[in-house]
């Protein structure tokens, strides 16, 4: 603490430059935090997707999978449970308010553990045809409470046999969210299926398959696809982990892009800070010589210089990370609607810790040359210069 | 005339003393190189995507698809569209169509499907397009670059340059289709358009393979003049026998591209703005220090009669000159690293493009940052108390 006044006066040796340095560091760490946040969020999105659950889609758009295919899938070695699903894509009140309801049949409780619904939840869902479970985030977005009616208008024409498009649901309960998801709504498959024209009932479905051993997911997916390869309904099966990976990587090589941008930002401040501290040490060399002359050890003087660099770096890292947190969701507003379920970057505690670690590293790297100069400085020459 | 001469002399002096401030000058140059390099690299995605879409469409061609076409994630309306053979027969008699030399209308029905990854968990999907007899005549930019064209009725395809590059497909490879493996018999270029990201085969054969036995995805129509589009669309949409709509082909591809490009543009400008702000603060700091170190020199100029404005402008011009050098270096590095590289994004495959216009944008961006960053130090230099500055050691 006794050195605090010395550090403080060194920091404010040139106030305008000090403020500008701090602002530069803050801005650079805002960028760095954003890049780390994007990467960390997408990685969490991938990691949260289960590896042992396969989604089975039609291989071609015109191939309409049928409910009857489930029995054949269940006979495959390694399959624990299979659920039939129909994804209702629609909107609520205004076509711009896109909403997706995942409807599952009565085997959903076994093959969809990722929603973490309890057996009594499923029982209540299958006993109420128009029932709907809404996750907390989805409930907040649509302002829903248990008992509310929620009308979803199907986008697909001709989905209902009566020619209308509205599916009224009754909210059974609000359930916890799945980590790293943007919220979900779960309804009853039979409710949708029975409203469809007779010739379409039991068609256009997809399956969710629970694999007994996650390490066999690829093998089982190939078996499913092979089973239907030469049928009229060829399938495409993929584990949810890999589907998330594909989705997260669909916007290009994000790891490379974020690394380049983050590195460019850090390189910029490294140069700026190194230049600033070198100039500061040059200008204050006689002062530092006086400190040495009155008994300060070399390591104390070097510590003062390091503190002079580290304080704006660490303060900038903290404020910059806060700024990144504020800016994180902005680019997602421009994401095409069909990719809107990609999670917004979240600036977690680990991002802040990384930013602080890089700030410390940056401080050390930019202070290396001035520290060497101070170590080699001739106190006598500097004091002689001061005397002249 | 005098102020201009003063400005030039002050600027020349300022630039001549740059070697004495080599370290801080280099910092400005490198910072601007980083800012512009990153901005230009990120914008190259948008430019590449828009260019590829621009080339794919022509204002004198109309694309017809069903009114209820809703594409899936990453898809195009064409993919979800259904046009029956009966509707096609009606379309063949449509007005405002251009004619081939033999008097037949310039019209062709096409089919577009999406193939999932070849093997279980591989990433990326591939479009397959079925072309009719007239399709190639309607696309003069289409060239076979290796092998040969597919034969009508045969289970074979040709691969676009982009798809070949990104998905590692070569002439001689095979593609897994529901009815067996189809050989790739040739590769093609299409003037750099997004069609180069597709596999192409014979329309009726592809239709049966992707189980579109009764309907096409879209119909491409050559108009007798680009101005006929509105009249053609009006005829089409008012025909009660057809539930179809049309879009100018150039507008259609532009719209498809913009669904994705707006996201990348916003990311590029967000990152560019943050970096620019950092560079702005950095430039102010360095120029502020530079005015301090040149205080005596500036005061001497003022003492012999040079105006404050001339000195101030010289400070800004120095910053602009350094920034332009940095911007050119940054844009140059980005061009060497990324220009012409194939990229697959949201099911579109195209080459990144760092065009001269993009480089100019980067340079203008750097000049703006420099001018803003130089403003406060420039004002300070103009207001420097002459007597006090001359006394400084």
């Amino acid at each position: 603490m006794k050195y605090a006044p010395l550090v403080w006066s060194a920091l404010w040796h040139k106030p305008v430059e000090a403020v500008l340095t701090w602002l530069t560091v803050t801005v650079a760490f805002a960028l760095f935090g954003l890049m780390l946040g994007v990467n960390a969020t997408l990685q969490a999105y991938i990691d949260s997707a289960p590896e042992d659950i396969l989604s089975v889609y039609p291989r071609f758009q015109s191939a309409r999978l049928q409910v009857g295919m489930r029995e054949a899938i269940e006979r495959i070695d390694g399959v624990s449970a299979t659920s039939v699903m129909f994804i209702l894509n629609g909107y609520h009140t205004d076509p711009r308010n896109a909403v997706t309801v995942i409807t599952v049949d009565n085997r959903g409780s076994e093959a969809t553990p990722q929603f973490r619904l309890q057996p009594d939840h499923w029982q209540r869902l299958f006993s109420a045809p128009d029932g709907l479970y809404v996750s907390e985030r989805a409930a907040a977005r649509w302002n829903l409470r248990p008992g509310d009616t929620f009308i979803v208008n199907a986008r697909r024409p001709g989905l209902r046999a009566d020619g209308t498009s509205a599916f009224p649901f009754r909210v059974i309960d609000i359930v916890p969210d799945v980590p790293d998801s943007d919220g979900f709504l779960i309804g009853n498959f039979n409710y949708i299926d029975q409203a469809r024209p007779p010739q379409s009932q039991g068609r256009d479905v997809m399956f969710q398959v629970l694999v007994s051993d996650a390490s066999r997911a690829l093998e089982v997916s190939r078996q499913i696809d092979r089973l239907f390869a030469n049928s009229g309904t060829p399938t495409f099966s993929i584990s949810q982990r890999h589907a998330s990976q594909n989705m997260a990587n669909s916007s290009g090589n994000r790891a490379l892009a974020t690394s380049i941008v983050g590195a460019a930002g850090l390189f910029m401040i490294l140069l700026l800070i190194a230049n600033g501290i070198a100039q500061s040490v040059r200008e204050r060399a006689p002062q530092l010589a006086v400190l040495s002359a009155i008994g300060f050890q070399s390591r104390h003087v070097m510590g003062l210089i390091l503190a002079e660099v580290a304080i704006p770096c660490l303060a900038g890292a903290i404020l910059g990370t806060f700024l990144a947190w504020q800016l994180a969701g902005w680019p997602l507003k421009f994401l095409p609607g069909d990719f809107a379920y990609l999670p917004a970057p979240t600036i977690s505690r680990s991002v802040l810790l990384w930013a602080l670690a890089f700030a410390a590293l940056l401080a050390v790297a930019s202070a290396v040359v001035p520290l060497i100069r101070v170590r080699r400085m001739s106190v006598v020459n500097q004091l002689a210069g001061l005397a002249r | 005339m005098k102020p201009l001469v003063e400005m030039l002399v002050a600027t020349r002096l300022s630039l001549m003393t740059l070697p004495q401030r080599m370290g801080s000058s280099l910092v400005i140059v490198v910072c601007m190189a980083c800012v512009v390099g990153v901005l230009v690299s990120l914008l190259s995605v948008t430019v590449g995507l828009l260019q590829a879409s621009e080339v794919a469409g022509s204002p004198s061609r109309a694309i017809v698809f069903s009114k209820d076409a809703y594409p899936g994630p990453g898809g195009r309306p064409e993919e979800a569209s259904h046009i029956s053979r009966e509707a096609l027969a009606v379309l063949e008699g449509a007005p405002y169509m251009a004619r081939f030399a033999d008097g037949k209308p310039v019209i062709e029905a096409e089919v577009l499907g999406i193939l999932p990854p070849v093997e279980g968990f591989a990433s990326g999907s591939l479009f397959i397009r079925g072309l009719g007899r007239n399709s190639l005549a309607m696309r003069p930019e289409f060239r076979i670059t290796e092998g040969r064209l597919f034969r009508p009725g045969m289970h074979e395809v040709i691969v676009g340059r982009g798809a070949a590059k990104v998905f590692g497909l070569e002439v001689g490879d095979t593609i897994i289709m529901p009815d067996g493996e189809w050989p790739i018999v040739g590769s093609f270029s299409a003037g750099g358009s997004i069609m180069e990201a597709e596999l192409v085969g014979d329309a009726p054969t592809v239709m049966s393979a992707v189980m579109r036995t009764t309907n096409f995805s879209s119909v491409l129509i050559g108009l007798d003049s680009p101005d006929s589009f509105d009249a053609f669309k009006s005829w089409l949409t008012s025909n009660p026998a057809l539930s179809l709509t049309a879009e100018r082909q150039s507008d259609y591809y532009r719209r498809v591209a913009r669904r994705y490009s707006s996201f990348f543009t916003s990311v590029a400008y967000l990152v560019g703005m943050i970096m620019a702000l950092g560079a702005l603060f950095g430039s102010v700091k360095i120029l502020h220090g530079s005015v301090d170190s040149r205080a005596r020199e500036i005061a001497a100029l003022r003492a012999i009669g040079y105006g404050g404005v001339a000195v101030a402008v010289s400070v800004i011009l120095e910053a602009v000159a350094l920034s332009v050098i940095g911007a050119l270096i940054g844009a140059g590095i980005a061009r060497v690293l990324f220009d012409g590289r194939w990229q697959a994004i949201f099911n579109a495959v195209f080459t990144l493009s760092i065009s001269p216009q993009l480089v100019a944008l980067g340079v203008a961006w750097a000049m703006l940052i420099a001018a803003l960053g130089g403003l406060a130090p420039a004002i300070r230099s103009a207001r420097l108390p002459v007597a006090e500055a001359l006394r400084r050691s």
Side-chain angles (χ1 to χ4, degrees):
Chain A
M1 273 312 280
K2 65 179 178 180
Y3 298 116
L6 280 173
V7 175
W8 186 253
S9 70
L11 280 174
W12 296 105
H13 163 63
K14 287 191 169 180
V16 177
E17 272 95 335
V19 170
L20 288 168
T21 302
W22 182 63
L23 285 173
T24 311
V25 175
T26 301
V27 167
F29 273 101
L31 185 64
F32 184 70
L34 259 181
M35 296 300 114
L36 280 183
V38 167
N39 256 340
T41 307
L42 288 176
Q43 196 52 51
Y45 169 72
I46 293 168
D47 294 343
S48 69
E51 208 173 350
D52 58 351
I53 296 179
L54 303 176
S55 297
V56 181
Y57 303 102
R59 182 163 275 270
F60 299 101
Q61 218 170 31
S62 306
R64 303 168 73 190
L65 303 192
Q66 298 161 23
V67 172
M69 295 164 68
R70 175 167 53 192
E71 283 171 27
I73 294 174
E74 282 182 331
R75 281 199 293 272
I76 291 173
D77 180 37
V79 172
S80 290
T82 307
S83 166
V84 175
M85 278 188 171
F86 181 88
I87 307 295
L88 176 64
N89 286 310
Y91 61 88
H92 179 62
T93 63
D94 185 310
R96 283 172 298 186
N97 300 333
V99 59
T100 299
V101 179
I102 302 165
T103 67
V104 293
D105 76 339
N106 53 9
R107 302 287 293 278
S109 55
E110 297 163 53
T112 54
Q114 77 270 32
F115 296 119
R116 299 176 185 181
L117 295 183
Q118 302 304 315
D120 62 308
H121 282 128
W122 291 111
Q123 209 172 359
R124 285 168 70 192
L125 180 68
F126 299 129
S127 58
D130 60 348
L132 185 73
Y133 280 116
V134 183
S135 80
E136 284 160 357
R137 280 190 205 121
R141 189 189 312 149
W142 300 108
N143 194 24
L144 290 173
R145 276 172 300 192
D148 284 357
T149 299
F150 186 61
I151 297 174
V152 177
N153 292 285
R155 289 194 191 271
R156 187 164 148 184
L159 195 62
R160 289 188 68 105
D162 61 10
T164 64
S165 65
F167 285 92
F169 287 95
R170 191 178 52 79
V171 179
I172 302 175
D173 208 350
I174 310 299
V175 293
D177 273 296
V178 174
D180 296 300
S181 96
D182 205 22
F184 59 83
L185 297 99
I186 296 184
N188 198 329
F189 169 75
N190 288 336
Y191 175 52
I192 306 290
D193 197 49
Q194 283 162 14
R196 299 184 66 189
Q199 70 276 17
S200 298
Q201 286 180 6
R203 289 169 173 267
D204 307 309
V205 299
M206 58 167 282
F207 298 96
Q208 194 153 300
V209 175
L210 182 66
V211 179
S212 54
D213 177 1
S215 64
R216 292 185 62 198
L218 178 61
E219 176 202 330
V220 174
S221 78
R222 283 180 175 157
Q223 282 189 51
I224 296 172
D225 291 348
R226 212 174 296 135
L227 180 66
F228 297 104
N230 293 317
S231 72
T233 51
T235 58
F236 167 59
S237 312
I238 187 167
S239 89
Q240 295 199 344
R241 173 76 56 86
H242 283 83
S244 300
Q245 215 158 28
N246 287 355
M247 184 55 73
N249 292 332
S250 62
S251 57
N253 191 339
R254 72 182 153 88
L256 179 69
T258 51
S259 303
I260 288 176
V261 172
L266 288 186
F267 185 59
M268 264 173 63
I269 45 170
L270 173 69
L271 290 180
L272 280 165
I273 295 172
N275 180 62
I277 193 68
Q279 195 181 342
S280 171
V281 166
R282 222 174 13 246
E283 286 169 2
R284 294 189 303 118
Q287 275 179 35
L288 298 173
V290 169
L291 289 178
S292 295
I294 62 172
F296 276 70
Q297 290 179 7
S298 179
R299 63 190 167 90
H300 290 144
V301 177
M302 287 165 76
L304 287 177
I305 292 167
L306 207 55
E308 187 185 337
V309 192
I311 288 171
C313 283
L314 294 171
I318 293 169
L319 192 69
T321 309
F322 173 76
L323 267 178
W325 177 57
Q326 295 293 312
L327 291 168
W330 190 71
L332 286 186
K333 291 178 186 165
F334 299 89
L335 201 63
D338 32 5
F339 290 90
Y341 51 83
L342 279 178
T346 47
I347 309 298
S348 60
R349 197 176 300 164
S350 72
V351 172
L352 178 64
L353 291 176
W354 275 110
L356 288 172
F358 270 90
L361 201 66
L362 203 69
V364 173
S366 53
V368 166
V369 175
L371 287 177
I372 293 171
R373 180 174 289 174
V374 167
R375 200 177 166 78
R376 289 178 181 169
M377 181 177 72
S378 158
V379 176
V380 177
N381 285 348
Q382 291 298 334
L383 289 176
L386 200 62
R388 276 198 296 272
Chain B
M1 195 63 187
K2 194 183 165 213
L4 188 66
V5 173
E6 282 181 2
M7 230 177 273
L8 288 173
V9 173
T11 305
R12 185 163 173 252
L13 187 66
S14 161
L15 293 176
M16 280 171 68
T17 57
L18 273 180
Q20 292 162 26
R21 292 170 278 124
M22 186 60 91
S24 52
S25 306
L26 273 178
V27 173
I28 294 185
V29 170
V30 176
C31 284
M32 286 305 170
C34 288
V35 172
V36 174
V38 167
L39 179 74
V40 162
S41 304
L42 292 176
L43 282 176
S44 69
V45 176
T46 300
V47 174
L49 184 56
L50 291 176
Q51 271 179 3
S53 308
E54 206 68 43
V55 178
S58 159
S60 60
R61 296 195 288 249
I63 182 163
V64 176
F65 45 88
S66 56
K67 281 180 178 166
D68 60 354
Y70 287 102
R76 308 176 195 167
E78 247 181 302
E79 190 197 330
S81 164
H82 298 266
I83 300 178
S84 65
R85 290 177 193 276
E86 294 75 29
L88 178 64
V90 177
L91 278 173
E92 279 169 350
Y96 312 108
M97 276 200 286
R99 307 253 156 203
F100 287 115
D102 59 5
K104 289 184 179 160
V106 179
I107 178 170
E108 194 53 73
E110 298 186 350
V111 61
L112 186 72
I114 192 159
L115 295 179
V118 175
E119 263 296 329
F121 289 167
S123 67
S125 299
L126 191 55
F127 282 106
I128 182 163
R129 185 181 291 275
L131 298 183
R133 281 172 298 124
N134 296 331
S135 295
L136 295 184
M138 293 171 75
R139 289 185 173 87
E141 67 276 10
F142 190 95
R143 300 269 181 283
I144 292 288
T145 52
E146 193 188 342
R148 60 172 173 81
L149 190 63
F150 57 85
R151 282 174 298 195
M154 299 296 288
H155 286 180
E156 52 191 32
V157 287
I158 54 175
V159 61
R161 275 194 312 165
K165 193 84 182 171
V166 170
F167 298 104
L169 300 170
E170 288 174 14
V171 176
D173 287 352
T174 54
I175 292 293
I176 298 172
M177 298 290 276
D179 52 359
E181 295 188 4
W182 290 24
I184 298 173
V185 296
S187 71
F188 69 90
S189 68
S193 83
I194 53 174
M195 194 181 165
E196 292 183 359
E198 298 170 356
L199 288 169
V200 169
D202 170 48
T205 321
V206 172
M207 273 171 81
S208 67
V210 298
M211 298 176 185
R212 271 181 173 268
T213 45
T214 55
N215 53 62
F216 298 94
S217 304
S218 62
V219 175
L220 197 58
I221 284 173
L223 299 168
D224 55 8
S225 137
D227 299 333
S228 304
F229 175 75
D230 290 337
F232 169 75
K233 187 176 178 180
S234 168
W235 172 85
L236 181 74
T237 51
S238 60
N239 190 328
L242 301 170
S243 182
L244 303 174
T245 187
E247 201 166 349
R248 213 184 273 280
Q249 196 195 23
S250 49
D251 293 346
Y252 169 75
Y253 280 114
R254 207 172 290 136
R255 181 165 65 88
V256 170
R258 286 213 169 123
R259 287 179 70 212
Y260 306 125
S261 66
S262 56
F263 169 68
F264 287 101
T265 309
S266 72
V267 169
Y269 280 112
L270 175 68
V271 169
M273 293 276 271
I274 296 175
M275 290 193 80
L277 206 59
L280 180 72
F281 292 137
S283 314
V284 176
K285 177 181 178 279
I286 287 169
L287 293 170
H288 194 271
S290 158
V291 169
D292 262 354
S293 63
R294 291 178 58 213
R296 290 187 73 192
E297 175 194 318
I298 291 169
L301 280 175
R302 299 289 310 282
I304 59 172
Y306 279 69
V309 174
V311 173
V313 170
S314 76
V315 171
I316 291 177
L317 288 180
E318 177 192 320
V320 169
L322 293 173
S323 299
V324 169
I325 295 169
L328 290 172
I329 292 171
I333 292 172
R335 197 176 157 92
V336 169
L337 291 179
F338 300 114
D339 190 51
R341 276 177 72 113
W342 286 98
Q343 186 71 45
I345 286 177
F346 295 145
N347 280 344
V349 177
F350 55 92
T351 53
L352 300 178
S353 171
I354 296 180
S355 60
Q357 292 91 327
L358 195 53
V359 174
L361 175 77
V363 171
W365 186 261
M367 286 170 76
L368 182 70
I369 299 168
L372 289 173
L375 205 59
I379 294 170
R380 188 162 164 263
S381 72
R383 289 181 174 171
L384 209 62
V386 176
E388 190 193 310
L390 283 172
R391 274 198 297 273
R392 282 191 200 174
S393 60

